[in-house]
């Protein structure tokens, strides 16, 4: 209860911070972007996990202003990196179902991008199948508008939802993110290995980019590279980190070659 009240004030008190988790491009072995992950520095409880407060924010509607704050915050950061000639790459932002269902969401994203001068090619949205299935026609419409603007879309936690292949065919997405529950058992768990192999083959056959998340071991990474997974993400490569640390990582890569 207290946490929910605190959540209402946390935005004004600037207690949120965006962390960035790098994604590695398998073909070049270079960083090719990052996923933005929100963190709440609570004055009493310390770092509170988004797994805990995002559901609360969805229940009480705070996710709408909070979601806008996250997008604006990422765009402003991209602007600082661009002005500082930091080799900025695409940043993926997680969406909530309520944002996707909001009538004003597309316009609000458009306004934030314009105000901050952010190229749409530097923004990706991550969404899940279950979010889309809540109101499929409406979601498809919204997603189509984002793609038309130049924003790319990734289907998060892929393989854990209920969507049929016919849904996938209709869905305007650019990327599949293999859920980390399938990556966990690689390469030894036979079922996981076959599911992952199938998802990568499926993605390639319908010309979608494919990302594996939750990579924690060299063996997992080698297996995914061998299958032709395009992008790699997980603690093995890097944990989610503050903007300054992500920036240092990019600078070091560029300087070191
Ligand atoms: O960062 P972490 O693994 O602790 O995130 C836990 C959960 O919170 C994940 O499901 C993740 O997608 C979600 N999450 C993290 N950041 C955001 C965000 O900015 N917006 C939304 N809607 N969800 C987020
Ligand atoms: O739901 P979503 O896929 O957006 O959730 C991303 C979550 O996964 C974040 O909370 C992030 O901190 C977490 N995460 C990222 N990489 C790894 C990893 O290698 N292992 C585990 N266990 N979690 C990870
Ligand atoms: Na995500
Ligand atoms: Mn995921």
């Amino acid at each position: 209860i207290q946490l929910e009240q605190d959540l209402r004030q946390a935005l004004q008190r600037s207690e949120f911070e965006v962390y960035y988790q790098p994604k590695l491009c398998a073909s070049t072995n270079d960083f090719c972007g990052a996923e933005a992950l929100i963190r709440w520095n609570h004055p009493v409880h310390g770092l509170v996990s988004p797994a805990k407060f995002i559901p609360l924010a969805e229940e009480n509607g705070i996710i709408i202003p909070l979601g806008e704050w996250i997008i604006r915050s990422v765009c402003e950061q991209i602007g600082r990196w661009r002005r500082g000639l930091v080799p900025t790459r695409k940043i993926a932002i997680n969406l909530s179902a309520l944002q996707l269902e909001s009538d004003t969401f597309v316009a609000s994203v458009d306004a934030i991008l314009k105000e901050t001068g952010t190229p749409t090619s530097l923004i990706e949205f991550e969404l899940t199948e279950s979010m889309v299935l809540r109101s499929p026609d409406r979601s498809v419409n919204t997603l189509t508008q984002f793609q038309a603007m130049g924003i790319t879309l990734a289907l998060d936690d892929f393989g854990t939802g209920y969507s049929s292949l016919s849904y996938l065919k209709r869905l305007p997405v650019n990327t599949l993110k293999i859920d980390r529950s399938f990556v966990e058992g690689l390469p030894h768990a036979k079922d996981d290995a076959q599911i992952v192999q199938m998802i990568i083959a499926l993605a390639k056959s319908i010309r979608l980019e494919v990302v594996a998340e939750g990579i924690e071991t060299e063996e997992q990474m080698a297996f995914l590279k061998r299958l032709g997974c395009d992008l790699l993400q997980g603690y093995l490569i890097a944990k989610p980190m503050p903007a300054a640390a992500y920036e240092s990582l990019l600078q070091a890569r560029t300087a070191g070659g």
Side-chain angles (χ1 to χ4, degrees):
I1 314 300
Q2 186 57 45
L3 211 57
E4 184 177 341
Q5 277 167 18
D6 293 348
L7 195 56
R8 296 182 184 279
Q9 299 170 335
L11 260 180
Q12 284 91 331
R13 295 182 179 171
S14 307
E15 291 170 5
F16 294 109
E17 181 176 357
V18 179
Y19 272 43
Y20 295 84
Q21 185 179 34
K23 296 180 191 177
L24 198 68
C25 179
S27 62
T28 62
N29 216 33
D30 206 352
F31 292 117
C32 53
E35 176 176 356
L37 293 158
I38 187 76
R39 297 291 179 257
W40 181 10
N41 298 299
H42 189 283
V44 177
H45 302 295
L47 219 60
V48 182
S49 166
K52 202 163 185 176
F53 70 81
I54 292 284
L56 273 181
E58 285 173 339
E59 272 169 42
N60 62 20
I62 285 181
I63 193 67
I64 298 294
L66 176 59
E68 278 185 22
W69 180 87
I70 293 165
I71 297 169
R72 182 178 298 279
S73 191
V74 167
C75 288
E76 286 171 351
Q77 183 61 68
I78 288 174
R80 285 190 289 276
W81 282 331
R82 277 162 50 88
R83 287 190 294 277
L85 303 181
V86 176
T88 317
R89 302 270 158 42
K90 191 182 292 255
I91 305 295
I93 301 170
N94 288 283
L95 296 186
S96 145
L98 290 186
Q99 288 174 289
L100 203 58
E101 284 164 14
S102 153
D103 284 330
T104 53
F105 186 51
V106 174
S108 120
V109 169
D110 189 54
I112 294 171
L113 293 177
K114 290 204 167 101
E115 272 170 47
T116 55
T118 310
T120 53
S121 62
L122 292 180
I123 299 294
E124 179 160 273
F125 287 139
E126 294 194 7
L127 46 127
T128 63
E129 298 158 274
S130 58
M131 281 169 53
V132 171
L133 289 174
R134 282 165 56 130
S135 38
D137 294 338
R138 196 193 175 102
S139 304
V140 167
N141 185 284
T142 301
L143 298 178
T144 304
Q145 291 184 63
F146 283 135
Q147 276 194 335
M149 289 163 63
I151 294 173
T152 55
L153 304 168
L155 210 46
D156 204 1
D157 307 342
F158 186 74
T160 63
Y162 292 98
S163 65
S164 63
L165 293 180
S166 63
Y167 257 124
L168 186 60
K169 201 177 112 185
R170 278 184 55 205
L171 212 56
V173 293
N174 307 84
T175 301
L176 299 184
K177 284 193 87 173
I178 304 172
D179 190 68
R180 74 164 182 264
S181 61
F182 303 117
V183 172
E184 213 179 337
L186 298 182
H188 306 292
K190 286 229 164 54
D191 288 355
D192 289 342
Q194 294 202 326
I195 289 169
V196 165
Q197 189 163 6
M198 190 205 72
I199 295 176
I200 293 174
L202 168 68
K204 293 198 174 297
S205 71
I206 55 178
R207 291 186 194 81
L208 296 180
E209 179 185 66
V210 58
V211 186
E213 61 183 0
I215 301 171
E216 295 184 358
T217 71
E218 294 285 356
E219 274 187 312
Q220 291 167 349
M221 182 141 92
F223 183 85
L224 288 156
K225 277 186 173 173
R226 188 148 36 81
L227 290 181
C229 189
D230 302 305
L231 303 182
L232 309 160
Q233 183 182 355
Y235 293 168
L236 176 72
I237 296 148
K239 290 197 169 172
M241 60 185 83
Y246 176 60
E247 176 177 330
S248 303
L249 205 67
L250 291 179
Q251 303 270 31
R253 277 286 166 137
T254 313

